[in-house]
């Protein structure tokens, strides 16, 4: 059986409004898929449902991760099972240092009674921060507190690297990044591409996909995947905007 | 009793929540009257002046209304007539754990006291219900003239020292509960540190309630003579009983010229304990009194540690952390009374309210007009975990005259559901996420604690958060 993150006919509501309206999409392990779509089409909603946010009620369909029912698991169980979400708007955790946070997250993955090897942990964290061009001072600072938009996004990627997920969803990781930061982040993600991992890269712009070249591009519109293609689809969207997609959808409705 | 029988009778739930069968040699019965006081005085073989002191205090207690006009109405739910005011096994505190009765010894072993003593303490007193069961101090300190005994022994062996300060820092009539304590007090520590002696390791007292419907009324008096220093640490627990339990202590500190006292409390009461404690110190010239007060648990805690800065350049400090979980009310604060020139006080209070938990901060800073060069800094921060929590701040700062520097800051922050979600997405359980936020919130304060206590506090916060997510 080929392993994948499989979303099948997913429907979900928030406060009674249906936002995800029968969405199907499969990311086989080893591939990078991109989701593009206009603002408000439901991209972040999908990401948060996959992570298990309780604001969203799943009213139909299924999501499996390598065959396991993802929707049945608690938020933290999903994470420990290998699901990672890089947030569009990462939260600030005052008083909790970045290093302590990462350490707690790593500790949570160990069997009860087993202690993390602090020396090895720091060594690994520093190496990954160097890869991402993050200053060491970020280890002692509170998680995301007072970070610039770009610094927060790098920090998300650092967390992803440290937690080594099986499937990672990156929600508009490119927004707020200047071109140099974008290259650094893309380098980090590309270094993590492997036959053992699948990525779902959500973006509003094609720019990111120049650096993280996707195997498949999906267009999300009004709660559904309305088009799927290769990386050229992203270029077409960049050149022509979303209107032609909308027109096609409306025409076929 | 055989070992097996003892263990079988123990009820275990979580840490601290266990009790042993009640077997007492002395039991003052239920309710409070002059006879109760006679009973206690007789058992202790007390001098007449103490008996009279107690009886006068009983009258004061009876004449004072419960302070429900400003404090919680929940105080009215204390049924004084149903409480047992004195329970002891008739034991004399021993200096060896081997001589402590089995069930009492096992209690303290489960709470890790003998182990802590071996590791880092200069002396330990362990009180089980009304009386100390174990009391020991390092021989070197004893040679230096340091006294560390329970209050019963202190009154008997050192009446001249004791009487000079007893009830002087906190008069009987200070409030209804200080009067109650003055009437029925038993146990607690008496400490005297002679001039110039610096006790480097902490002295620790541990107060354990074992019996149901019981009131624990320890009385502590610490006198630190000129240029001497001591750190005292108290810990308290009780099992979870169905009925309310009352803990009402009075703690008086006296820091003579250039002396330093650090008094650390880490208490973890179960949900049905009314914890109504009066704590105050007098700091003479250039002396320093520092209260570090961590309140976790209890049904209602009312506690406002204070410092009267009586000598020039005296310093007072209250650092407090209060954690109010569902069904708990932490009503805490600080009293800083400046009574001499160039005195300095610092109050840092952090409260955490979880679920329906409620935290209240009450502060009083008093600087009279005729003084010069006094300083106060007050900082109260509240953290709310979920929207039902409630927090109130009542800072009363009465500063007369314009030759003083005072500063007051307050903040309220929330741990939002989205923050918890974010942390959970990284693999932390809800309880771990909450613990991490709470620890982050109190982190800058905890860093100032001696290591062992910061570790202890962190562990208690973790336990409390685990309990709060069911
Ligand atoms: N928690 C919420 N409460 C109410 N409406 C929401 C909530 N989250 C998302 N929505 C709505 O769902 C739609 C999709 O939003 P979102 O998933 O953030 O879009 P995208 O990420 O594609 O820009 C929007 O109309 C948004 O207003
Ligand atoms: Mg979005």
């Amino acid at each position: 059986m080929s392993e994948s993150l499989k979303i099948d006919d997913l429907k979900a509501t928030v406060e009674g409004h249906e936002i995800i309206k029968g969405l199907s999409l499969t990311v086989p392990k080893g591939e990078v898929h991109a989701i593009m779509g206009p603002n408000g089409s439901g991209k972040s909603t999908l990401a948060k449902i996959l992570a298990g946010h309780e604001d969203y009620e799943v009213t139909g369909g299924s999501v499996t991760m390598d065959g396991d029912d993802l929707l049945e698991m608690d938020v933290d169980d999903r994470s420990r099972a290998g699901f990672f979400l890089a947030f569009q708007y990462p939260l600030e955790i005052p008083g909790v240092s970045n290093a302590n946070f990462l350490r707690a997250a790593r500790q949570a993955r160990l069997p009860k009674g087993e202690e993390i090897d602090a020396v090895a942990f720091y060594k690994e964290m520093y190496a990954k921060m160097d890869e991402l061009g993050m200053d060491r001072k970020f280890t002692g600072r509170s998680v995301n507190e007072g970070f610039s938009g770009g610094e927060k996004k790098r920090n998300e990627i650092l967390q992803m690297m440290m937690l080594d997920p099986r499937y990672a969803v990156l929600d508009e990781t490119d927004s707020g990044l200047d071109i140099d930061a974008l290259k650094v982040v893309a380098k980090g993600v590309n270094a993590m591409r492997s036959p053992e991992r699948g990525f779902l890269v959500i973006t509003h712009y094609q720019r990111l996909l120049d650096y993280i070249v996707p195997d498949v591009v999906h267009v999300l519109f009004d709660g559904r995947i309305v088009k799927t293609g290769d990386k050229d689809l992203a270029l077409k969207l960049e050149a022509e905007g979303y209107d032609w997609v909308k027109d096609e959808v409306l025409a076929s409705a | 009793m055989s070992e097996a029988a003892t263990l079988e009778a123990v009820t275990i739930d979580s840490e601290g929540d266990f009790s042993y069968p009640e077997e007492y040699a002395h039991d003052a019965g239920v309710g409070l009257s002059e006879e109760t006081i006679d009973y206690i005085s007789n058992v202790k073989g007390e001098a007449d002046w103490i008996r009279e002191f107690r009886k006068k205090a009983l009258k004061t207690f009876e004449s004072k209304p419960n302070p429900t006009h400003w404090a919680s109405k929940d105080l009215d739910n204390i049924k004084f007539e149903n409480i047992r005011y004195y329970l002891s096994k008739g034991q004399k505190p021993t200096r060896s754990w081997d001589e402590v009765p089995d069930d009492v010894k096992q209690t303290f072993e489960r709470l890790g006291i003998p182990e802590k003593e071996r590791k880092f303490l200069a002396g330990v007193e362990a009180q089980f219900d009304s009386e100390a069961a174990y009391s020991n101090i390092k021989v070197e300190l004893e040679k230096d003239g340091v006294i560390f005994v329970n209050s019963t022994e202190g009154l008997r062996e050192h009446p001249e020292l004791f009487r000079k300060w007893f009830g002087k820092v906190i008069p009987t009539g200070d409030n209804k509960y200080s009067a109650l304590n003055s009437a029925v007090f038993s146990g607690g520590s008496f400490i005297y540190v002679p001039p110039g002696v610096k006790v480097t390791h902490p002295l620790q007292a541990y107060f354990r309630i074992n019996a149901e419907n019981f009131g624990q009324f320890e009385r502590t008096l610490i006198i630190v003579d000129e240029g001497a220093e001591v750190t005292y640490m108290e810990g308290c627990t009780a099992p979870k009983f169905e009925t309310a339990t009352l803990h009402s202590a009075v703690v008086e500190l006296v820091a003579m010229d250039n002396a330093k006292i650090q008094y650390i409390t880490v208490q973890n009461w179960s949900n049905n304990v009314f914890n109504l404690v009066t704590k105050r110190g007098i700091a003479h010239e250039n002396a320093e009194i520092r209260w570090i007060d961590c309140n976790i648990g209890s049904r209602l805690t009312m506690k406002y540690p204070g410092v009267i800065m009586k000598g020039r350049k005296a310093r007072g400090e209250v650092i407090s952390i209060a954690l109010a979980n569902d069904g708990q009310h932490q009503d805490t604060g600080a009293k800083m009374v400046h009574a001499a020139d160039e005195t300095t006080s610092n109050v840092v209070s952090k409260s955490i309210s979880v679920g329906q938990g409620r935290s209240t901060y009450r502060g009083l800073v008093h600087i009279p007009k005729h003084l010069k060069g006094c300083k106060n800094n007050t900082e109260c921060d509240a953290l709310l975990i979920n929207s039902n929590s409630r927090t109130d701040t009542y800072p009363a700062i009465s500063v007369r005259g314009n030759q003083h520097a005072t500063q007051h800051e307050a903040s309220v922050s929330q741990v939002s559901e989205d923050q918890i979600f974010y942390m959970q997405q990284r693999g932390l359980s809800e309880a771990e996420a909450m613990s991490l936020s709470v620890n982050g919130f109190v982190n800058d304060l905890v860093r100032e604690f001696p290591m062992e206590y910061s570790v202890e506090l962190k562990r208690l916060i973790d336990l409390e958060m685990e309990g709060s997510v069911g």
Side-chain angles (χ1 to χ4, degrees), chain A residues 12-19 54-57:
Chain A
T13 61
V14 58
E15 287 164 5
H17 300 281
E18 185 162 63
I19 310 238
E54 60 182 26
D55 279 0
Y56 305 93
E57 195 193 341

Side-chain angles (χ1 to χ4, degrees), chain A residues 195-215:
Chain A
E196 295 309 312
R197 199 175 346 259
F199 284 94
L200 191 56
V201 179
I202 295 173
T203 182
H204 186 64
Y205 303 103
Q206 187 272 338
R207 189 179 65 153
L208 177 69
L209 305 181
D210 285 342
Y211 300 96
I212 304 173
V213 181
D215 298 300

Side-chain angles (χ1 to χ4, degrees), chain A residues 51 53 75-76 79-80 83-85 87 91-92 94-96 101 104-105 108-109 144 156 159, chain B residues 416-430 432 436-437 439-441 443 466:
Chain A
H53 198 294
V75 179
D76 48 322
S79 166
R80 292 192 301 268
F83 178 83
F84 184 89
L85 168 61
F87 284 59
L91 284 107
E92 302 184 356
V96 179
F101 183 54
R109 285 160 167 77
N144 294 327
E156 293 293 284
Q159 291 177 22
Chain B
S416 67
E417 279 177 15
D418 276 332
Q419 280 169 314
I420 300 282
F421 172 68
Y422 182 71
M423 290 186 265
Q424 281 188 276
Q425 208 303 303
R426 300 312 184 230
L428 305 180
S429 69
E430 189 182 358
E432 286 165 345
L436 207 57
S437 301
N439 280 305
F441 175 66
N443 205 5
E466 259 167 47

Side-chain angles (χ1 to χ4, degrees), chain A residues 78-114:
Chain A
R78 295 182 197 197
S79 166
R80 292 192 301 268
F83 178 83
F84 184 89
L85 168 61
F87 284 59
Q88 181 175 4
Y89 303 108
L91 284 107
E92 302 184 356
I93 317 290
V96 179
S97 76
N98 238 345
N100 273 349
F101 183 54
L102 274 173
R103 192 174 159 161
R106 284 282 286 260
Q107 178 72 51
R109 285 160 167 77
L110 296 179
K112 227 181 165 61
E114 198 174 310

